[in-house]
Amino acid sequence: MSADPYHEVQREIQSSLQTASTLRSSFLRIRSLARDGSEELVLARNELEATLAALYTDLEDLEESVKMVEDTGPRYFGLDDAEVSERRKYVSYVRREIEGMRADVEGRNLPSAGKSPSTSLQSQSSLPSGSRSPLQPVPGSQSGEPNDDQAKWAHEEQQLLLQEQDRAMDSISGTLNTLAQQAGLMGHEIGEHVEMLDDLEANVDRTDSKLSNAMRRMKKFVRDTEETKSGWCITILIIVLLALLLAVILV
């Protein structure tokens, strides 16, 4: 007999429903206290929407498991038709809960923010045994007026959000300080390299000047040597010519 994935997915959805219920309560409290567009309200709405999106994905997996049981045959998994019908009811129930939470997020349930206890009990009574929803009615959603406990809870939640933001800012500040220190060290090293390059340039200039002076002296020496050799050659030629003339005359 193949393994039935229904119960594993159902446990995940039950946990997600609890989380979504808590987030919905938080969102409704903040919405009743904070102004529209406030940072706390936006954060609460985004967190609830992300949870509902994940919950809807799990619901699709659950519905797929129910369809697989229906298509394959309940007896193949050791189930009967009544159990499959109860599972289908549970899928429908979770879908209604998700739609109700989405309506709260979109503000479509403002005139009647919460369900009455009798409606909630009727919804849960249609669920199979062991699948009753852990969701509780949203405190203060029926009267529409937050009490002191709600205001205190919302204030504490805002303080927690501010503390998280402070910790994030401290972390960013520490990172920036580290980058500033590294930039300072890099600037110091660059300054040292610039000084070394300046010294190298000065040495190159001095060496070039010495080489230029040496080349000028070498050219002068060669020129003087060439002029001295030419004078001696002329003198020797004159002497040879005179000797030849004397020899001709004497002969």
Side-chain angles (χ1 to χ4, degrees), residues 6-227:
Y6 173 82
H7 296 291
E8 180 179 356
V9 179
Q10 183 192 23
R11 284 193 296 269
E12 295 178 359
I13 288 182
Q14 289 292 108
S15 177
S16 299
L17 279 175
Q18 290 179 344
T19 303
S21 177
T22 303
L23 293 175
R24 179 177 65 174
S25 300
S26 173
F27 170 74
L28 292 177
R29 290 191 186 100
I30 294 175
R31 188 175 65 182
S32 64
L33 297 174
R35 59 181 177 82
D36 292 338
S38 63
E39 184 177 0
E40 294 81 6
L41 184 60
V42 172
L43 289 175
R45 179 184 289 110
N46 292 339
E47 188 174 5
L48 179 56
E49 288 177 346
T51 303
L52 291 177
L55 182 58
Y56 188 79
T57 301
D58 293 338
L59 178 62
E60 289 182 340
D61 294 337
L62 185 65
E63 188 174 13
E64 184 66 25
S65 69
V66 175
K67 288 182 179 179
M68 181 180 66
V69 172
E70 291 175 342
D71 295 339
T72 306
R75 297 185 183 278
Y76 183 78
F77 297 95
L79 304 174
D80 53 17
D81 294 337
E83 176 66 20
V84 176
S85 177
E86 291 296 323
R87 294 185 179 187
R88 175 59 64 183
K89 290 180 181 179
Y90 181 73
V91 170
S92 300
Y93 167 76
V94 174
R95 190 179 299 277
R96 288 195 303 270
E97 289 293 328
I98 294 175
E99 293 299 328
M101 293 182 188
R102 284 180 172 175
D104 289 334
V105 173
E106 296 172 0
R108 289 179 286 163
N109 286 347
L110 286 177
S112 55
K115 297 180 180 179
S116 63
S118 60
T119 304
S120 178
L121 291 175
Q122 292 174 1
S123 299
Q124 295 188 22
S125 63
S126 63
L127 298 178
S129 177
S131 302
R132 300 302 172 86
S133 171
L135 302 181
Q136 300 296 330
V138 179
S141 61
Q142 297 178 6
S143 61
E145 297 179 357
N147 54 26
D148 294 339
D149 293 337
Q150 293 174 351
K152 182 179 179 181
W153 187 91
H155 178 72
E156 291 177 354
E157 186 176 15
Q158 292 177 1
Q159 292 298 322
L160 290 175
L161 291 174
L162 291 176
Q163 290 176 4
E164 292 179 358
Q165 292 177 359
D166 291 339
R167 286 194 293 269
M169 292 299 295
D170 291 339
S171 176
I172 294 174
S173 177
T175 303
L176 292 177
N177 289 333
T178 302
L179 292 175
Q181 293 176 358
Q182 293 178 354
L185 293 175
M186 292 176 62
H188 181 70
E189 292 180 357
I190 291 174
E192 291 180 351
H193 285 105
V194 170
E195 292 179 358
M196 294 173 61
L197 290 175
D198 292 338
D199 294 340
L200 178 62
E201 185 179 3
N203 292 331
V204 170
D205 292 338
R206 287 194 295 271
T207 303
D208 183 66
S209 178
K210 291 179 181 179
L211 288 175
S212 298
N213 293 331
M215 289 299 296
R216 284 196 298 270
R217 289 195 296 269
M218 181 64 69
K219 290 179 180 179
K220 182 179 180 183
F221 174 76
V222 171
R223 187 170 56 254
D224 294 342
T225 302
E226 290 177 352
E227 291 178 353

